[in-house]
Amino acid sequence: MTEHTLTVAGVAVDTRHWIGGERVASTETFTDVSPIDGSVLGEISRGTAMEAAAAVAAAKAAFPAWAATPRAERARILHAVADGVEKRLEELAIVETTDNGALLRSHRRGVMPRVAHNFRFFADWLLKLEHEDFETRGHTNHVSWDPAGPCVLITPWNAPLMLATWKVAPALAAGNTVILKPAEWTPLTASLLADIAAEAGLPAGVLNVVQGYGSEIGDALTSHPDVRRISFTGSVPTAKRIAASAAVNLTPLSLELGGKSPLLVFADADLDLAVDLAVEQYDNAGQVCLAATRFLVQESVAEEFTRRFVAKAGQLTQGDPRDEATDIGPNIHLRQLEKIDGFVQRAIAAGARAVIGGHRKDGQYYAPTLLTDVAQDSEIVQEEVFGPVLTLQTFSDEDEAVRLANDTRFGLAATVATGDPERAERVTAQLVAGTVWVNCFFVRDLQAPFGGSRQSGVGREGGTWSFDFYCDVKNTVTAPNGWRNHG
């Protein structure tokens, strides 16, 4: 091992940036801490405007050759990256669990396989990406997707590698080069991805990984004139800063932001199913942007729903995420834990009642919480907590349910539990959300559009929508019989 390598559960991770196919160290570092027990994992290179400029320059230099690489060859390399992910799946799983505190069993069985799938899906989608030619007064229109250039991808800490590759894979498939900036609280698997991509044959400079704080390196990336696309997943305040920075160069943005999504439970719903869906919202210690954190339950079944929910939630096991029996792990950071508790204590002081939870536990763990007696205009109902904290309100009829569901500044997702297909059709048509689930939750297909409405985001990614964003979409119009005879 070297001074720039740390070991996590036996896995060696390089702590330096990956720029232009080489490891680059910074003079300053930041400390990476595991949320499981607060242990220090290591010191990570802390990038500045200098590393940002170097990464963009490397991406710009590598762009012409990668953009000119035939689709089939780009797809082959992306499949090779997926092979590398699958080969190192166990290593990626344990490193990410240690770094962000999410369940090891979830990383093994769902998250890391999805990382590989991200690369395979967009590689395959690239090969079938086309738009049928069409005629206009005898002229032929041909639509094509041209690579845009260097892309800055800024990713969150709640599902670091999966959400990073959800952006990296289509950007690379489209023929762009990438500067990936992972969240400073969870930088480790992005570093491993750089190794995997290099081993798979991705040319130097096509993927660059830079680490550090948004205020020190993020601003330098998002304001750089050579950056052609910016994709960000995270908070609304940060998105506003990124948008202001990108506006200087009119750099196109894709923003997937926060949510305050509702779960609507109607009296005709299968209550056991509705309760299962409700308890699922504690997944990843509530650190899921799509989580339906606001339960809206029809008055006639609210008492029974609550009783069953409390019983079901009481069966959850909270503890070390490396244990197969654990259902809820820690929250990411002491700062986040304090934020969560602040929301809850202010809500209780304002009159809310904690049916379950409502308090911190040892370390970075927060008790799964359900609050009732909350007002629609209260902070706890209107603002994203991003922890294992849910609220419950009641409604009398469909109109009130829809009104309450739409009455926030967000519009990321919504979940509806009902036994009436006609009601489901009526209600979903009125909900303001980028994704609506009916009698299910978190069913995601990469060919579907994904994004939020209102302050939950700008734009859509997934399938062809991803290529629409990461490319310059061109229409070429050719006149009929306009060719000169060069014979």
Side-chain angles (χ1 to χ4, degrees):
M1 299 299 170
T2 71
E3 62 175 314
H4 299 299
T5 304
L6 59 83
T7 303
V8 179
V11 181
V13 184
D14 201 301
T15 61
R16 295 170 291 179
H17 313 285
W18 177 254
I19 300 174
E22 297 180 350
R23 288 292 178 179
V24 176
S26 295
T27 56
E28 300 292 329
T29 63
F30 63 92
T31 304
D32 188 25
V33 176
S34 174
I36 298 174
D37 54 12
S39 60
V40 172
L41 298 177
E43 296 296 316
I44 312 299
S45 280
R46 178 173 166 179
T48 64
M50 181 174 68
E51 286 83 5
V56 175
K60 183 179 180 180
F63 173 67
W66 181 245
T69 301
R71 285 188 178 190
E73 177 62 7
R74 293 204 302 264
R76 184 195 67 78
I77 292 175
L78 293 186
H79 274 290
V81 174
D83 292 341
V85 169
E86 290 172 347
K87 181 179 178 181
R88 301 187 66 179
L89 189 146
E90 181 64 25
E91 294 180 6
L92 291 167
I94 188 60
V95 169
E96 187 135 300
T97 289
T98 306
D99 206 17
N100 89 325
L103 300 184
L104 180 57
R105 72 174 193 233
S106 295
H107 281 139
R108 284 171 169 161
R109 301 170 192 171
V111 177
M112 294 308 162
R114 169 65 182 270
V115 168
H117 178 62
N118 285 344
F119 284 103
R120 296 198 193 283
F121 173 88
F122 286 107
D124 293 342
W125 199 266
L126 169 67
L127 297 181
K128 63 182 181 180
L129 181 67
E130 63 178 353
H131 189 294
E132 185 177 350
D133 289 352
F134 57 97
E135 299 294 320
T136 303
R137 299 190 301 277
H139 296 64
T140 301
N141 293 263
H142 176 73
V143 177
S144 58
W145 287 262
D146 293 351
C151 300
V152 167
L153 311 179
I154 303 174
T155 54
W157 44 258
N158 58 322
L161 192 58
M162 194 276 286
L163 291 177
T165 56
W166 156 255
K167 301 176 187 295
V168 170
L172 294 180
N176 299 319
T177 50
V178 164
I179 305 99
L180 171 63
K181 193 282 190 190
E184 59 268 25
W185 287 348
T186 53
L188 300 185
T189 48
S191 181
L192 293 177
L193 177 65
D195 295 335
I196 291 170
E199 292 167 5
L202 194 69
V206 175
L207 172 66
N208 305 275
V209 179
V210 290
Q211 303 146 162
Y213 298 118
S215 59
E216 295 177 349
I217 192 169
D219 291 346
L221 291 171
T222 56
S223 63
H224 200 292
D226 290 333
V227 170
R228 295 291 177 259
R229 295 291 187 274
I230 300 169
S231 182
F232 168 73
T233 297
S235 71
V236 171
T238 302
K240 290 180 178 180
R241 292 196 296 271
I242 290 172
S245 181
V248 175
N249 301 302
L250 291 178
T251 308
L253 291 165
S254 177
L255 304 173
E256 196 267 281
L257 309 177
K260 197 68 180 177
S261 302
L263 165 59
L264 289 73
V265 179
F266 289 92
D268 58 14
D270 178 334
L271 274 194
D272 286 336
L273 170 63
V275 166
D276 286 344
L277 296 175
V279 172
E280 195 174 346
Q281 308 312 312
Y282 288 131
D283 182 48
N284 201 19
Q287 299 169 142
V288 178
C289 59
L290 292 162
T293 57
R294 294 185 296 133
F295 299 166
L296 304 176
V297 185
Q298 197 151 18
E299 292 169 347
S300 60
V301 295
E303 184 176 346
E304 179 62 17
F305 172 88
T306 304
R307 185 188 68 78
R308 296 191 197 186
F309 175 85
V310 170
K312 185 84 173 180
Q315 299 172 12
L316 296 174
T317 299
Q318 188 167 27
D320 191 322
R322 295 166 295 192
D323 189 329
E324 280 282 318
T326 297
D327 301 303
I328 302 177
N331 288 97
I332 185 68
H333 196 279
L334 283 173
R335 192 189 313 165
Q336 182 67 14
L337 196 73
E338 290 165 1
K339 177 183 174 184
I340 294 166
D341 194 47
F343 273 113
V344 172
Q345 300 314 317
R346 288 191 298 273
I348 292 173
R353 181 172 66 92
V355 179
I356 59 172
H359 57 87
R360 295 173 60 163
K361 302 176 78 171
D362 291 339
Q364 290 177 210
Y365 295 80
Y366 203 87
T369 298
L370 176 66
L371 301 175
T372 60
D373 301 332
V374 292
Q376 179 63 23
D377 62 354
S378 64
E379 178 191 55
I380 196 68
V381 169
Q382 293 293 326
E383 299 297 327
E384 184 177 46
V385 177
F386 223 60
V389 178
L390 311 171
T391 62
L392 188 150
Q393 299 164 268
T394 61
F395 64 85
S396 59
D397 55 26
E398 263 182 43
D399 289 342
E400 186 180 18
V402 170
R403 178 180 62 78
L404 293 173
N406 288 338
D407 187 21
T408 74
R409 61 193 172 100
F410 298 105
L412 187 56
T415 303
V416 178
T418 178
D420 183 345
E422 293 181 356
R423 167 173 282 145
E425 186 175 352
R426 286 193 305 270
V427 170
T428 57
Q430 299 175 74
L431 293 175
V432 179
T435 300
V436 181
W437 288 287
V438 179
N439 294 329
C440 60
F441 177 67
F442 218 55
V443 178
R444 290 277 306 277
D445 193 309
L446 286 179
Q447 64 184 315
F450 180 75
S453 304
R454 295 176 177 168
Q455 292 199 18
S456 284
V458 174
R460 296 291 184 271
E461 295 186 42
T464 300
W465 289 274
S466 285
F467 288 94
D468 288 345
F469 172 69
Y470 288 109
C471 292
D472 291 323
V473 182
K474 178 191 293 179
N475 186 43
T476 302
V477 184
T478 304
N481 304 317
W483 307 110
R484 292 182 181 179
N485 186 349
H486 293 285

